[in-house]
Amino acid sequence: EAKSAGRGMIRFHDPQTQSILARRFRLETEFRQAMERKELCLDYQKQVDRRGHCVSVEALLRWQHPEQGLIPPQEFIPIAEDSGLIIPLGQWVMEMACRQLAIWQAQPSTRRLKVSINVSARQFLQSDFVEQVMDTIHHSGAHPEGLCLELTESLVLADLDDALIKMQAFRKQGIQLSMDDFGTGYSSMAYLSRLPFDEVKIDKSFVQQTGENHSGNEWIIIEAIINMAHNLGMRVVAEGVETENQHHLLGQLGCDCFQGYYLGRPVDLSSLDLSLSREIPA
Ligand code: C2E
Ligand code: MG
Ligand code: MG
Ligand code: MG
């Protein structure tokens, strides 16, 4: 717990908090160097449609720390956000992913593959964010139709009017928009109808709470999300699909696309296998 010790000063008495803060401070310093030292890279994870075709890949950032090994994005993205490093970092991700998208689009077998990129709030809130993305795409030679931006609810709600304007601008350029982690915020339902998303991603926490058949309450929620999204003209991607059974049951409820360890883990480019994957029986 923080105790206020006079103006602008906060002291932490709890040793556990102390060590979390120390680690965080160290990581922030090291993260600044990580970008220059090329310790960062992108993994890609497949999104597979009902016929088992890989229609899209999500770019997921990885930090290979020289001593501590792989540091999960959950840990360093917040640091990058707070320190402002997320701006150059996000730009780097955008450049790398667009460059790869252009390569895929130039090959007949992967011509229509899409790339999804996670966007953080601070990145999105920049006044020239739309122009930045469009510049990066054009520079890479990729067609904007292949790019999908994954936005979260909290990002959109940070400034709803501003988000709407930017989203419409992206749509006009042919870029797709996905609502990531859907269902984890409490106002998702109310806002979804007002926002021009192409796609909704059901958060993996829902998928992972599901049981062996359609009888559990989680399935009622998932079915409601799928039906609502479809009625709004949006497609549905399920995140965190780990088992054959989850894949099967989600398919029965009409889910359009599947992402998760059952279909493939996030891997580096050289290990990415885009060939036909598991199929939902018609
Ligand atoms: P997210 O966008 O919701 O990404 C999905 C996360 O679920 C990824 O975690 C992925 O590895 C994980 N996942 C996929 N399938 C399964 C599964 O079957 N089971 C389980 N348990 N997990 C699965 P990851 O790679 O650790 O990324 C975590 C979060 O970090 C992402 O969540 C995203 O919010 C953020 N992130 C990752 N890369 C970037 C980036 O380039 N920019 C920004 N702003 N955020 C990023
Ligand atoms: Mg995502
Ligand atoms: Mg997600
Ligand atoms: Mg998530």
Side-chain angles (χ1 to χ4, degrees), residues 121-272:
R122 189 140 171 195
Q123 216 184 335
F124 188 82
L125 284 167
Q126 296 171 95
S127 58
D128 63 345
F129 181 63
V130 177
E131 290 77 12
Q132 275 182 41
V133 172
M134 293 321 298
D135 281 353
T136 307
I137 294 201
H138 290 136
H139 196 76
S140 73
H143 305 293
E145 291 74 22
L147 187 67
C148 179
L149 301 180
E150 296 196 359
L151 314 177
T152 58
E153 177 185 45
S154 58
L155 172 156
V156 169
L157 295 185
D159 187 341
L160 193 59
D161 294 329
D162 178 64
L164 252 176
I165 290 170
K166 284 173 178 153
M167 290 175 75
Q168 275 150 2
F170 279 126
R171 293 269 302 226
K172 231 172 123 184
Q173 300 285 344
I175 290 176
Q176 306 226 342
L177 301 169
S178 173
M179 185 170 236
D180 203 354
D181 304 334
F182 188 77
T184 52
Y186 54 86
S187 42
S188 313
M189 306 279 173
Y191 286 99
L192 193 63
S193 65
R194 296 178 50 192
L195 295 164
F197 281 105
D198 298 278
E199 172 188 288
V200 169
K201 290 184 84 170
I202 301 177
D203 192 68
K204 59 175 177 288
S205 61
F206 286 104
V207 177
Q208 279 159 8
Q209 283 160 20
T210 55
E212 289 300 299
N213 53 51
H214 278 147
S215 68
N217 282 343
E218 301 74 32
W219 287 112
I220 296 177
I221 307 275
I222 290 175
E223 185 172 21
I225 294 175
I226 292 173
N227 290 337
M228 180 182 58
H230 282 168
N231 287 332
L232 291 168
M234 302 171 189
R235 66 174 180 271
V236 181
V237 182
E239 199 180 76
V241 181
E242 291 184 352
T243 67
E244 178 181 5
N245 196 46
Q246 287 166 348
H247 185 232
H248 173 71
L249 294 171
L250 284 159
Q252 282 189 331
L253 295 183
C255 189
D256 304 287
C257 276
F258 311 87
Q259 180 178 354
Y261 297 167
Y262 180 66
L263 290 317
R265 291 186 176 253
V267 288
D268 64 44
L269 263 182
S270 63
S271 313
L272 189 65

Side-chain angles (χ1 to χ4, degrees), residues 62-81:
R62 298 290 177 255
W63 177 11
Q64 188 68 48
H65 190 285
E67 290 109 38
Q68 297 181 46
L70 207 60
I71 299 184
Q74 236 72 288
E75 196 164 350
F76 68 81
I77 297 277
I79 295 174
E81 279 258 342

Side-chain angles (χ1 to χ4, degrees), residues 20-37:
I20 290 172
L21 283 177
R23 176 173 164 84
R24 198 186 160 110
F25 182 76
R26 199 174 60 240
L27 279 183
E28 180 178 332
T29 312
E30 290 170 349
F31 188 72
R32 286 179 192 279
Q33 302 162 343
M35 293 179 64
E36 298 155 23
R37 292 183 187 163

